[in-house]
Amino acid sequence: MLRLRANAVAKFKSHIAGGEQRAITAATSARKYSTESPLPESADVVIIGGGSAGCNTLYQLAKRGVRAVLLEKSKLTAGTTWHTAGLVWRLRPNDVEIRLLAATRDLLMSLEEETGHNSGWINNGGLFISHSPERLDEYSRLATLGKCFGIESHIVGPEQAQKLFPPLDPTSFTGALYSPGDGVVDPAMMCTALTKGATANGGLVVEDCTVSQIITGENLLGMKDVRGVLTNKGTIRTNTVVNATGVWGRDLIEPLGVFLPLIPMKHAYVVSETMDTIHQMLPNVRDHDFSLYFRIQGKSICMGGYENNPIMLNRVPGDFHFGLYDLDYSVFDTHIQGAVKLCPAFGSAGIKSTICGPESFTPDHKPLMGPDPTVSGLFHSVGYNSAGMMLGGGCAEQLAQWIIHDRPDRHMFAYDVRRFTPKQKKALNWATERSHEAYTKNYSIVFPHDEPLAGRNFTVDPFHKQMIQYGAVMEERHGWERPGYFLPDETVVVQPYDWYGYYDHPKNANTHYEEALKGDYTFGFSEHHDLIGEEALTCRHDAALFNLSYFCKLFLTGSQAKEAAEWIFTANLDKPINKTIYTCALNKRGGVEGDVTVSIVESGLGGLHDPIFKGRGYYIVAGGASAYHTKCHILAAIQEKAFRAVMSDHTEELGVLSLQGPKSREILQKITDFDLSNEKLLPMNSTAILTIKINPHYSCHVRVLRVSFVGELGYELHIPEESCNDVYNALMKAGYKESLRNAGYRALYSLSSEKGYHLWGSDLRSDDTPIEANLGFVCRKEGEYQGKEIVDRQRENGVSRRLAFFTLREQVPIWGLEAVYRDGEIVGHLRRGEYGYTLQKPIGQAYVQRADSSPITNQFLQSGHYQIEVMGKLYDADCHLRSPFDPKGERMLGIYK
C-alpha cells in the first residue's frame, strides 16, 4: 500500500487552495493575444469556450481565412483544459482516430516554427502494459494497423519494457507495446501558441466575455437558425456558432430546445514527489488492465485512471473556472494499488499534489461534434472524455472543414452528434448509465464483438418478446435492441443496469446475458462461431427470417418530391411505379453519406405502409445503425434547396421481417393469394402491397419489397405495428416444414460480406466515393445530383484506390484493421472482416491504394502477391474484384443449380 509522507494531507489542501491562482497565472501567458476592445459587430463564426477545443477551432478557421471570434467567459484554458494530463497517444483501434491523432501531433510539432512559441510538446514515447494474452493480441492489432500509417511501434517483453522505464517491476506484467512517437503536451503553452497563430491570421480572442444567449430566428422552412450571440460586452451578429464549452456544453443550448447526452464527472490524478529514477524523457505508461496511466512530469510521475465508481455530477457551477475538488481516496485508491504493483518505487515516493477536476463524458466515450440537426448554424465540439489534448487538433481541422465545406474530410460519424437520436439526447438517465459504463470500460479490451450492459431496452421493436422467446442474444445499435444470434433451447434476457455493483446497487443475480457475451471475448473464432454458421447456411440452403425492424423507413412526398429525390440520390429514379432502386446519397465532396433502397410508390389506402398523398412518392429504407444520420442528411438537402417536399418517418411504426433463402417463395406463398411465381407481378427489385392470411377469419395488408441483403431469393415484409406479431407467427408456422429458422445480424453481416454487399460505416463511408467503392453503376450520367461533379471526374480520370475483396487460404479469423500487403508493400487495411460460411473461408474488404497515386486498374488489382497480416503474422490471400460467391446474381432470381 502507498505510504504517504507526514505532510501529504497539508500539501493536498495547500495545492487545492492555490490551484486556481497558479492556473490563472499559467493562462495569462496567452492574454496578450486577447483583447479588451469592444466586440466586433459581426463575425463569420463565433466560438464559445477558450479551452483546447475552442483554441484549436479558432486556429484552424483563421488559417483558412474565416473571420472567427473566440469568446471565453473567464481566461483561456479555464474549465477542464488547464488541469488535463495532456497525454498524446498515436495508436487507436480505428483508422479515422489514428489520422486525427496524427493531425494533432503534426500540429504540435510545427507550431513553434510557425508562431515562435513553444507548443509544450514533448516526444518522450509511450508504453502500453499487458497482463494477459488477449491484451497482447489487442496490442498486436494496434501495431499492425499502425504500420498502415507509418507509425513505429514494437511488441516488447517485460525486461525490454523495464529498460525503457526502469522503475517497472517486470514480474508484474507479461508484455508491452512501445510507441516511440507518443508524447505529452502542456495545455497552457499549446493554447498560447494556437491563439498566437490564430490572431496572426485575423482571429480574435476575447476573455471575460460571458455569452448569455445564442440569438436565433426562423428560416423560410420554419427551422431555427443562428442570428448572433448576446454577451456581457455586447452583441455579435453571426450565422455560425461553435459550442466548445466543455463541461458546460449543455447549459447554454438547452433554452434553444437542444439537448446533448453529456455527463460531467470528477476525474483525478496525483503527482508524486520527485523520484531519482524518473526523468522527462522516460515514456509515458498506460496500463489498460490496471486501468491507470503514468505521465512523466520532470522527475515526477502523474498517475491517474478510470475507476468503476466515478463521482458523477449533475451540473458544474458556471463560475468553476479554475476550481478543483477534494480527492476522494475511497474512489481513487484502486489506482494507487495498481500503480504500486506495477511500479513499487511509486509507493515509497509519496504524493506532493492532487488534481481532481470536472471532465465531460458521453455514452460511447466519443466527442460530440458537427452541426446541430435542429438549429441551423449551431455546431458542437464538446464531450472529449479527457482526450481533448490528443484529439483537439485533428478534430478542429475536421470541424473547420465541416463549417466551410458542409462536410469534413474524414468519416466522422463516430463523433457526429447526429449519431444519437433526439430521444436519446433528451434521456438523461439513459445518458448517465451509458456514460458511466463507457467511463469504467475506457481501458477495457476492444473485442470485435461486445455489447453494453447499460441503457438497454431503450427502444424495442414489435417482435422483441418473440425474439427473446426464441433465444435471441440481443445487440444494441442506435438505441434499438436487435437480435445478434439465437441460442437453441435457451432464453437470455438483458437485465436492468446494476452499475457493476457500485453506488449501493446490488449486482444482478441473473448473469446469463453477460455469460453469453463472454463467448465473444476473443480475437480467435467466437464460441458462437458454429451456431452463427448454422443460421447463415440455413439461409443459403432453406430459409431464414431476419428482424430488420430498426431499419430507417421514410416516405418522401410533396409537389417537388421528384426534384428532391433526383438531387439527393445518385441512381436513375425515372422508373415505373413499384420499382425499387438501390442508390447512394452523396455529400458535396462525392463521399457516400448513405446507401439506401428507394421504391417508387403511388398514393395508397391510408395505412402506415401505404399512405395517402398527392403525386409520386418515394419509400426510402436505410440501415438502422445510422438511421438518424440518414434522415438528417436528406432533410438538410431539402432545406438547402428549399424543395417543396415532406419527409415522414415511420421507423418506429413499421416492423420489418426479411424472409430469405431458396424456400422463401414457397413459405410466403402459403399465407398470401398474391401469385409470387408471376415474375411480372413482383420481379426482383420491386414492391407491392400484399394481403397476408393470418387465419381463416383474419388477414392484414403489408408492403413487400423483393430485395435481398444476403444474395438470396427473398422478401422484406414492412408491417404495421398492430399486425407484426400475427404476421411473424404466421410465417414461422408456414415455414416449419421448410426448416425456417430465425437468424441474427451476425449471420446477416457474414452473408452480406460473402455476397460482396457494402455495409455503410465500414467498407462504405462518407470519405469513400461510389467510384472508389465500385458503385459507379448506381450513379446516373444524366441530370444533376449532389456530388456528381466528383463522380464524373473520377469516372473519367480514374481513382488511385479501390475496394477489393480478399479471401484467406488458411482458417484464420479476421475482424477488420488487418494490414494488406501486395508484393511485400502495404497497400491498405481491411475495413471489415467476416467468415464466409458458404465459401468456407475468411473474407474481408479493403481499399487498395497505389503508392504513386496513379489510377488503379483491374490488372493492377488482380496481379501481385497478396498477404494479410493477422496478429503480426502474414497469411497468403487471394484478391477479387468482386466477391466469388454467386458472381452472376442468379440466386436472387430464384435460379438454384
Side-chain angles (χ1 to χ4, degrees):
M1 184 59 199
L2 182 71
R3 307 237 177 236
L4 299 179
R5 296 184 180 182
N7 62 348
V9 174
K11 287 189 176 183
F12 295 161
K13 294 179 178 179
S14 174
H15 176 83
I16 292 168
E20 179 173 348
Q21 183 57 48
R22 286 198 303 277
I24 293 174
T25 301
T28 53
S29 65
R31 288 196 62 194
K32 61 183 177 181
Y33 305 116
S34 66
T35 179
E36 299 297 333
S37 61
L39 296 181
E41 292 184 359
S42 65
D44 295 334
V45 180
V46 172
I47 303 158
I48 307 174
S52 169
C55 291
N56 270 293
T57 302
L58 179 71
Y59 172 84
Q60 294 292 345
L61 288 171
K63 288 278 286 184
R64 290 163 172 80
V66 176
R67 291 189 309 120
V69 179
L70 185 152
L71 307 180
E72 165 54 48
K73 65 181 178 181
S74 177
K75 307 299 180 187
L76 292 182
T77 74
T80 60
T81 295
W82 76 270
H83 61 69
T84 184
L87 293 162
V88 179
W89 313 102
R90 301 184 75 190
L91 294 172
R92 288 283 182 98
N94 180 288
D95 65 305
V96 175
E97 289 193 359
I98 283 180
R99 286 173 164 166
L100 295 175
L101 295 170
T104 298
R105 182 176 179 271
D106 291 345
L107 174 62
L108 292 172
M109 292 193 299
S110 64
L111 270 177
E112 184 170 8
E113 182 178 351
E114 176 190 343
T115 67
H117 192 98
N118 188 338
S119 68
W121 164 250
I122 298 174
N123 186 176
N124 56 327
L127 196 62
F128 289 5
I129 300 298
S130 166
H131 295 266
S132 69
E134 291 79 13
R135 182 68 75 178
L136 211 55
D137 283 345
E138 182 183 42
Y139 291 166
S140 295
R141 283 172 54 77
L142 287 177
T144 294
L145 182 60
K147 292 177 184 178
C148 300
F149 299 96
I151 297 175
E152 179 188 359
S153 64
H154 312 277
I155 299 292
V156 298
E159 290 74 21
Q160 292 171 287
Q162 187 189 35
K163 290 180 181 178
L164 294 166
F165 197 100
L168 294 178
D169 177 4
T171 66
S172 68
F173 59 99
T174 59
L177 174 67
Y178 175 52
S179 176
D182 295 350
V184 66
V185 61
D186 179 275
M189 295 174 70
M190 181 195 74
C191 288
T192 299
L194 287 169
T195 51
K196 182 175 181 180
T199 54
N201 286 282
L204 186 63
V205 177
V206 184
E207 295 179 313
D208 301 313
C209 184
T210 301
V211 176
S212 57
Q213 181 185 353
I214 298 174
I215 303 169
T216 61
E218 192 173 284
N219 63 24
L220 294 175
L221 296 174
M223 182 181 182
K224 285 182 182 178
D225 60 1
V226 169
R227 302 291 174 87
V229 295
L230 180 64
T231 80
N232 62 325
K233 294 188 176 185
T235 301
I236 304 177
R237 296 193 313 274
T238 185
N239 298 122
T240 305
V241 165
V242 176
N243 172 23
T245 55
V247 293
W248 298 281
R250 299 184 324 208
D251 299 352
L252 185 64
I253 61 172
E254 285 186 357
L256 301 177
V258 177
F259 301 91
L260 293 178
L262 187 149
I263 306 299
M265 301 187 197
K266 294 182 181 180
H267 193 54
Y269 62 87
V270 299
V271 184
S272 76
E273 296 283 4
T274 58
M275 301 170 63
D276 293 338
T277 54
I278 299 298
H279 60 83
Q280 184 62 68
M281 295 314 294
L282 288 181
N284 303 307
V285 175
R286 219 177 188 184
D287 188 325
H288 292 92
D289 294 314
F290 283 175
S291 195
L292 61 84
Y293 65 80
F294 292 162
R295 187 203 82 190
I296 305 305
Q297 182 173 301
K299 293 184 68 63
S300 297
I301 291 177
C302 299
M303 186 276 290
Y306 294 82
E307 55 280 345
N308 286 338
N309 56 336
I311 299 172
M312 292 173 286
L313 305 166
N314 181 28
R315 304 273 182 179
V316 176
D319 59 354
F320 203 73
H321 306 139
F322 291 96
L324 288 173
Y325 303 103
D326 290 335
L327 182 65
D328 187 335
Y329 273 97
S330 68
V331 174
F332 195 82
D333 186 61
T334 182
H335 303 315
I336 293 176
Q337 295 180 42
V340 173
K341 290 178 183 176
L342 182 65
C343 179
F346 182 83
S348 57
I351 295 174
K352 66 180 178 183
S353 59
T354 69
I355 297 286
C356 181
E359 293 273 10
S360 55
F361 294 89
T362 63
D364 56 6
H365 216 77
K366 305 288 186 186
L368 302 170
M369 289 183 59
D372 190 273
T374 60
V375 179
S376 178
L378 175 61
F379 287 77
H380 301 289
S381 183
V382 294
Y384 279 87
N385 303 278
S386 293
M389 293 298 105
M390 69 179 84
L391 290 171
C395 285
E397 183 178 41
Q398 294 306 307
L399 186 62
Q401 298 282 359
W402 226 325
I403 293 169
I404 298 168
H405 300 296
D406 289 333
R407 288 302 298 161
D409 293 329
R410 304 293 178 205
H411 178 68
M412 297 294 289
F413 176 73
Y415 290 12
D416 193 329
V417 68
R418 294 170 295 183
R419 71 189 184 271
F420 295 113
T421 66
K423 180 180 176 182
Q424 289 173 300
K425 293 173 188 173
K426 290 181 181 179
L428 184 60
N429 289 340
W430 175 86
T432 303
E433 279 192 16
R434 289 294 294 268
S435 297
H436 169 264
E437 185 177 36
Y439 181 103
T440 64
K441 293 182 68 174
N442 183 41
Y443 278 3
S444 296
I445 298 175
V446 182
F447 288 110
H449 294 286
D450 191 12
E451 295 297 324
L453 301 177
R456 297 299 296 269
N457 296 319
F458 183 71
T459 304
V460 298
D461 63 57
F463 307 107
H464 183 74
K465 289 183 179 179
Q466 289 157 311
M467 297 293 101
I468 298 299
Q469 289 169 359
Y470 275 90
V473 177
M474 303 302 286
E475 302 175 343
E476 184 275 341
R477 298 293 184 275
H478 211 46
W480 287 73
E481 296 292 315
R482 70 179 196 184
Y485 55 90
F486 291 80
L487 294 173
D489 305 319
E490 190 172 348
T491 300
V492 181
V493 179
V494 179
Q495 301 298 303
Y497 189 48
D498 65 6
W499 302 86
Y500 290 81
Y502 289 95
Y503 314 112
D504 297 324
H505 286 270
K507 296 202 72 173
N508 287 325
N510 183 340
T511 61
H512 292 169
Y513 183 75
E514 295 175 53
E515 292 301 317
L517 294 184
K518 289 178 182 178
D520 285 320
Y521 290 173
T522 176
F523 293 104
F525 287 118
S526 163
E527 288 183 11
H528 314 296
H529 177 77
D530 292 339
L531 182 63
I532 294 165
E534 291 175 11
E535 294 179 8
L537 292 174
T538 298
C539 180
R540 293 283 188 235
H541 299 313
D542 298 303
L545 193 61
F546 299 93
N547 177 6
L548 307 185
S549 296
Y550 92 123
F551 271 34
C552 180
K553 300 171 281 288
L554 311 168
F555 279 97
L556 178 64
T557 58
S559 61
Q560 288 189 310
K562 180 176 183 293
E563 290 84 350
E566 289 178 345
W567 172 250
I568 295 166
F569 300 114
T570 61
N572 178 11
L573 300 183
D574 187 16
K575 300 292 184 181
I577 295 294
N578 292 334
K579 179 66 176 175
T580 299
I581 302 106
Y582 171 69
T583 182
C584 292
L586 309 184
N587 56 45
K588 294 177 181 178
R589 298 175 182 270
V592 181
E593 292 293 335
D595 63 328
V596 305
T597 61
V598 177
S599 298
I600 316 298
V601 295
E602 59 185 348
S603 182
L605 299 176
L608 293 170
H609 61 295
D610 193 25
I612 298 172
F613 53 86
K614 291 183 179 180
R616 173 178 285 220
Y618 301 86
Y619 182 49
I620 303 162
V621 180
S626 55
Y628 188 58
H629 175 273
T630 302
K631 178 181 175 180
C632 290
H633 176 76
I634 294 172
L635 277 174
I638 292 173
Q639 290 165 353
E640 182 180 13
K641 290 287 187 176
F643 289 119
R644 292 189 294 276
V646 177
M647 189 174 66
S648 54
D649 187 348
H650 294 265
T651 300
E652 293 198 31
E653 300 165 314
L654 293 173
V656 180
L657 294 174
S658 182
L659 178 64
Q660 301 288 325
K663 297 180 180 179
S664 60
R665 178 178 284 159
E666 59 185 289
I667 293 172
L668 184 57
Q669 189 67 79
K670 291 180 181 181
I671 58 173
T672 183
D673 291 330
F674 190 99
D675 186 1
L676 297 172
S677 64
N678 189 335
E679 287 288 330
K680 293 181 180 180
L681 293 178
L682 191 61
M684 181 63 194
N685 295 322
S686 66
T687 182
I689 303 299
L690 268 63
T691 299
I692 301 297
K693 297 180 296 184
I694 304 302
N695 58 49
H697 309 288
Y698 169 61
S699 62
C700 64
H701 298 291
V702 306
R703 177 175 294 280
V704 172
L705 276 64
R706 187 176 159 192
V707 294
S708 177
F709 192 56
V710 298
E712 297 294 328
L713 172 68
Y715 306 86
E716 280 184 11
L717 282 68
H718 295 236
I719 313 161
E721 185 176 9
E722 64 273 13
S723 301
C724 282
N725 291 339
D726 290 332
V727 173
Y728 176 84
N729 292 332
L731 277 171
M732 293 301 290
K733 182 178 179 181
Y736 179 76
K737 292 183 179 179
E738 278 67 44
S739 303
L740 176 67
R741 68 181 294 166
N742 291 292
Y745 277 79
R746 296 281 289 278
L748 183 77
Y749 285 168
S750 165
L751 292 163
S752 73
S753 178
E754 187 174 58
K755 174 57 182 170
Y757 288 158
H758 297 71
L759 179 62
W760 193 86
S762 295
D763 42 38
L764 184 63
R765 308 190 310 200
S766 60
D767 54 354
D768 304 318
T769 69
I771 304 301
E772 293 169 334
N774 299 323
L775 289 174
F777 67 93
V778 305
C779 299
R780 66 185 189 272
K781 296 183 179 180
E782 304 300 326
E784 294 300 320
Y785 56 81
Q786 185 162 260
K788 185 173 184 290
E789 179 183 347
I790 306 299
V791 172
D792 289 346
R793 186 188 312 144
Q794 290 187 345
R795 202 195 304 265
E796 180 178 352
N797 299 332
V799 292
S800 61
R801 70 181 189 117
R802 270 181 53 193
L803 185 67
F805 296 85
F806 296 89
T807 53
L808 270 66
R809 299 175 187 176
E810 296 186 46
Q811 298 296 312
V812 179
I814 53 175
W815 306 108
L817 306 183
E818 293 86 357
V820 178
Y821 291 76
R822 180 182 180 275
D823 295 337
E825 294 185 1
I826 293 178
V827 292
H829 67 275
L830 294 184
R831 287 278 192 85
R832 179 157 66 123
E834 300 281 354
Y835 189 82
Y837 289 96
T838 311
L839 296 174
Q840 297 183 10
K841 293 179 181 180
I843 184 168
Q845 292 97 316
Y847 284 83
V848 175
Q849 175 83 46
R850 285 200 65 149
D852 59 7
S853 297
S854 59
I856 196 164
T857 63
N858 290 350
Q859 192 277 332
F860 178 88
L861 286 174
Q862 291 176 308
S863 63
H865 175 224
Y866 286 94
Q867 294 175 299
I868 307 293
E869 182 176 335
V870 183
M871 299 299 182
K873 184 178 178 181
L874 293 175
Y875 295 89
D876 288 339
D878 296 308
C879 178
H880 310 273
L881 300 180
R882 59 169 58 190
S883 169
F885 174 80
D886 189 25
K888 295 181 180 180
E890 293 178 325
R891 298 171 73 96
M892 290 185 293
L893 299 173
I895 302 173
Y896 290 91
K897 299 177 181 178

